[in-house]
Amino acid sequence: MAPLHRSLLMSCLLSGTVALFILPLHLALAGPPHVATLLVLAWMLCQWPIAHYLSRTGAMNTTIALSSGLFASFVAAVCLMTGGESSFALLWLLIPPVEAAFATNRKVTLGVSLYCCALFAAVTLLSASVSQNVTLPPEAGVLASLAAFLYTGMLASRISLDRHRASSELLKSDTRLERVSNSVCEVLLELDKTGRLSVLGGPVRRMFGLEASVSDEDWIFRRMNVADRPHYLTSLADVRESGAEARLDVRLRLGSGKPGDRGYAEFALFRLRLRSARADEAAMAGGSVVLALQEIESRSAEHAPKQGALPPAGSACWTLIEEAGSSARDQVTEIVDLASLVESEGKSLSQGSLHQTVRRIRSAGDRSARSLNALLDLVPAVEGRLPDAYCKVDVADCLTHSSNLIGPLADRLKVSLDLAETADLPAVFVEKKKFRQSLHLILSEVVETAGAGALVHAEAVTGPTCIELVITACNRQSSLNWTAENSMTVFENAARLLEEAGADLSLRSSLGAGDRVVIVIPVRAEKGRPGQAGSAAEQSAPWAESA
């Protein structure tokens, strides 16, 4: 309504200003004004109180009713002065109902229309008893009708523009709501007393594989496992009767297939929360119940690759392995060539050339060692092999190592890396290889799914008992938030590796910010596998007495 407020205020202020400008000029140049001129100037000056009322109260409907009623009264007065029912201005009584169409209440339009009808009846009845004070030329009627048509067309154009603006704002709101719904991890539904189920928000297609915006029946009940239906109906009745919140775990059918169709039915475990409408919304909601569904068992868990299995061909892991292996091969070839040069021409080389060649060999050897370490970090663990011992690991060094390894992949995909390094992080004791391997896997997956123009940011937050490594991604070209919807299998493998390494992986979603990957690394006082017995000094320390 803000554009309508602005246009009405501007027209009212402009009309009053023009009247104040014309009145002294008319008095100075033409003498006392005619009755018709005074009537026009009075109507224009009356726009200022209307603008003052709108600016103080903001009551748009009342302001439109006052403006339309004032204009209708002005037109009726002109009609009485210029011929009554045969006046040229009688056609202008059609305009106030059109102006009243800007209001959002139908009572305003109906009231203004009835008021115009009453004024038309009064003009018809009083036209014989009122003397005609104004004599106009014959062409005045044609010009007045043409002006009425133009003014009505302008009002119709403003109404059309207002509807177009409202439609655009509604489309923006729906797009924003859909973006928010796709970024959260649960589905909100509303079930009324008649059993009609409607979706309030959430990724329904992602969780169930179907589109269900509005339905005439409780389709959640039809998709629920038969063994869970009695518990669901009992909880639903208790929530409606007592108003207390209920929680239960149910198994729901996935896919677009309807219950009763032939074929294998795929189920997933969901956590269902039931709560009634608030007390102040009870009358409006009609005793409806709000359902919140959150998936607690991934449907892809059965198809997840086994531990130690090789990654699929063409994945980012294989790309990094090929790049690291190619780099190591080139550097080893350089070392062999330099060694052959020293062997064949070592006696003829000067001391400075010999030192320079030795430095080049050492530099190539260091680069080769780093490439080989990166290659070994990416090689999956083999079943039956003894795990690496826990050791002290520097998180900032691991971030730098991952940045050097994933840099070529990010440059090729046009993705920027911002891996914040923190020098004063406390020591962490994890299995170094599995930790670095999972970090490479997570970062490469985020870089690969973020899209061109994205920025991948990693930041370490130090807590009292742990370090949280938060990895986020945002696309600066499309302004879309990154989602982990298509990377769950990769993150499940990374979570398994981090669990074996002594850390934890979680995905967190927030409204308007998308998904975040959080790696929680406990800060241990001494190295050792989680759950192992502590040192002798720790075991001999007395327990604190409890109350």
Side-chain angles (χ1 to χ4, degrees):
M1 301 296 291
L4 191 57
H5 275 254
R6 289 193 295 267
S7 62
L8 186 57
L9 286 174
M10 290 173 60
S11 61
C12 290
L13 294 176
L14 181 62
S15 176
T17 304
V18 171
L20 287 180
F21 179 75
I22 292 178
L23 180 59
L25 288 180
H26 194 284
L27 291 174
L29 299 178
H34 194 269
V35 178
T37 305
L38 287 177
L39 187 62
V40 174
L41 293 177
W43 170 70
M44 296 175 68
L45 285 173
C46 286
Q47 303 298 318
W48 272 17
I50 293 177
H52 179 266
Y53 175 79
L54 177 61
S55 64
R56 299 290 292 180
T57 62
M60 194 66 190
N61 293 333
T62 306
T63 304
I64 290 176
L66 291 175
S67 178
S68 303
L70 179 64
F71 185 67
S73 301
F74 165 71
V75 172
V78 173
C79 291
L80 287 175
M81 297 175 59
T82 58
E85 59 183 1
S86 61
S87 172
F88 71 94
L90 192 64
L91 185 64
W92 284 77
L93 278 178
L94 296 174
I95 294 178
V98 180
E99 184 181 356
F102 284 103
T104 58
N105 193 346
R106 289 179 295 180
K107 295 181 180 179
V108 175
T109 307
L110 181 61
V112 173
S113 301
L114 293 177
Y115 182 63
C116 290
C117 292
L119 290 177
F120 175 76
V123 168
T124 304
L125 295 176
L126 298 176
S127 59
S129 59
V130 177
S131 60
Q132 310 300 322
N133 300 325
V134 180
T135 303
L136 298 174
E139 62 270 10
V142 178
L143 294 178
S145 301
L146 180 61
F149 292 149
L150 293 177
Y151 190 72
T152 306
M154 183 190 69
L155 290 178
S157 300
R158 288 180 57 189
I159 293 175
S160 177
L161 179 62
D162 182 65
R163 297 298 180 267
H164 175 71
R165 186 185 297 112
S167 176
S168 301
E169 293 297 330
L170 182 61
L171 180 61
K172 292 179 182 178
S173 177
D174 290 342
T175 304
R176 191 181 302 112
L177 179 61
E178 182 180 1
R179 188 178 303 170
V180 171
S181 297
N182 292 331
S183 300
V184 297
C185 56
E186 66 178 13
V187 175
L188 292 179
L189 309 163
E190 184 179 7
L191 181 66
D192 58 13
K193 294 178 64 175
T194 62
R196 182 174 180 176
L197 191 68
S198 58
V199 179
L200 300 179
V204 179
R205 171 173 287 277
R206 188 181 72 188
M207 297 180 68
F208 292 97
L210 57 92
E211 286 289 347
S213 56
V214 178
S215 177
D216 295 333
E217 58 184 7
D218 187 358
W219 54 269
I220 289 293
F221 178 77
R222 295 191 60 192
R223 288 186 167 271
M224 193 175 297
N225 193 286
V226 179
D228 297 330
R229 292 181 179 179
H231 190 193
Y232 167 71
L233 294 177
T234 304
S235 302
L236 184 61
D238 293 341
V239 169
R240 282 178 171 168
E241 181 177 358
S242 62
E245 183 176 341
R247 296 170 180 258
L248 63 152
D249 294 341
V250 295
R251 288 161 292 179
L252 298 177
R253 180 171 178 165
L254 306 177
S256 57
K258 298 180 180 179
D261 295 346
R262 294 183 179 181
Y264 176 74
E266 182 182 2
F267 286 86
L269 187 62
F270 289 84
R271 178 150 298 160
L272 177 62
R273 290 188 292 112
L274 306 172
R275 60 179 179 85
S276 61
R278 296 181 297 179
D280 54 349
E281 295 179 354
M284 179 181 63
S288 62
V289 178
V290 177
L291 288 72
L293 277 170
Q294 185 175 7
E295 190 175 11
I296 59 178
E297 179 182 300
S298 176
R299 73 186 75 177
S300 59
E302 300 178 358
H303 309 287
K306 298 182 180 179
Q307 178 182 356
L310 292 175
S315 63
C317 186
W318 272 119
T319 303
L320 295 176
I321 290 176
E322 291 176 358
E323 291 180 353
S326 176
S327 177
R329 181 183 57 193
D330 296 340
Q331 290 150 8
V332 171
T333 303
E334 183 180 359
I335 293 174
V336 173
D337 294 341
L338 291 174
S340 301
L341 177 63
V342 173
E343 183 180 3
S344 61
E345 302 179 4
K347 296 180 180 180
S348 60
L349 292 175
S350 62
Q351 187 174 2
S353 300
L354 186 60
H355 283 295
Q356 184 179 2
T357 304
V358 170
R359 283 196 300 269
R360 291 177 59 188
I361 293 176
R362 179 176 298 176
S363 176
D366 293 338
R367 294 197 307 271
S368 177
R370 287 195 296 269
S371 300
L372 288 175
N373 289 332
L375 184 61
L376 292 175
D377 286 340
L378 295 172
V379 174
V382 180
E383 295 184 2
R385 181 179 297 176
L386 293 177
D388 298 335
Y390 276 56
C391 61
K392 183 178 179 181
V393 175
D394 186 3
V395 178
D397 181 67
C398 292
L399 283 174
T400 304
H401 187 269
S402 298
S403 177
N404 296 332
L405 181 63
I406 303 175
L409 176 63
D411 294 339
R412 189 167 58 253
L413 298 178
K414 298 181 181 179
V415 176
S416 302
L417 291 177
D418 182 16
L419 306 183
E421 299 182 8
T422 306
D424 55 350
L425 291 177
V428 294
F429 291 93
V430 293
E431 287 193 22
K432 185 175 182 179
K433 177 180 178 179
K434 291 184 177 180
F435 178 76
R436 292 171 67 170
Q437 191 177 25
S438 58
L439 188 60
H440 298 334
L441 190 61
I442 293 170
L443 287 174
S444 61
E445 180 65 21
V446 174
V447 167
E448 199 171 25
T449 57
L455 173 65
V456 179
H457 177 72
E459 182 180 4
V461 180
T462 305
T465 59
C466 64
I467 295 177
E468 289 190 356
L469 187 60
V470 183
I471 301 174
T472 57
C474 61
N475 198 308
R476 295 170 292 182
Q477 292 183 356
S478 61
S479 300
L480 297 177
N481 296 318
W482 176 77
T483 176
E485 177 182 357
N486 301 323
S487 306
M488 296 307 299
T489 304
V490 177
F491 289 142
E492 287 174 5
N493 295 335
R496 190 180 302 110
L497 286 173
L498 284 173
E499 183 179 0
E500 295 174 358
D504 188 22
L505 175 67
S506 62
L507 295 176
R508 301 177 186 175
S509 300
S510 58
L511 294 178
D515 297 339
R516 295 177 297 168
V517 182
V518 181
I519 303 175
V520 181
I521 314 165
V523 179
R524 302 186 180 91
E526 62 181 36
K527 64 182 180 179
R529 187 176 293 275
Q532 285 183 346
S535 60
E538 183 181 355
Q539 294 178 1
S540 62
W543 291 90
E545 296 182 358
S546 58

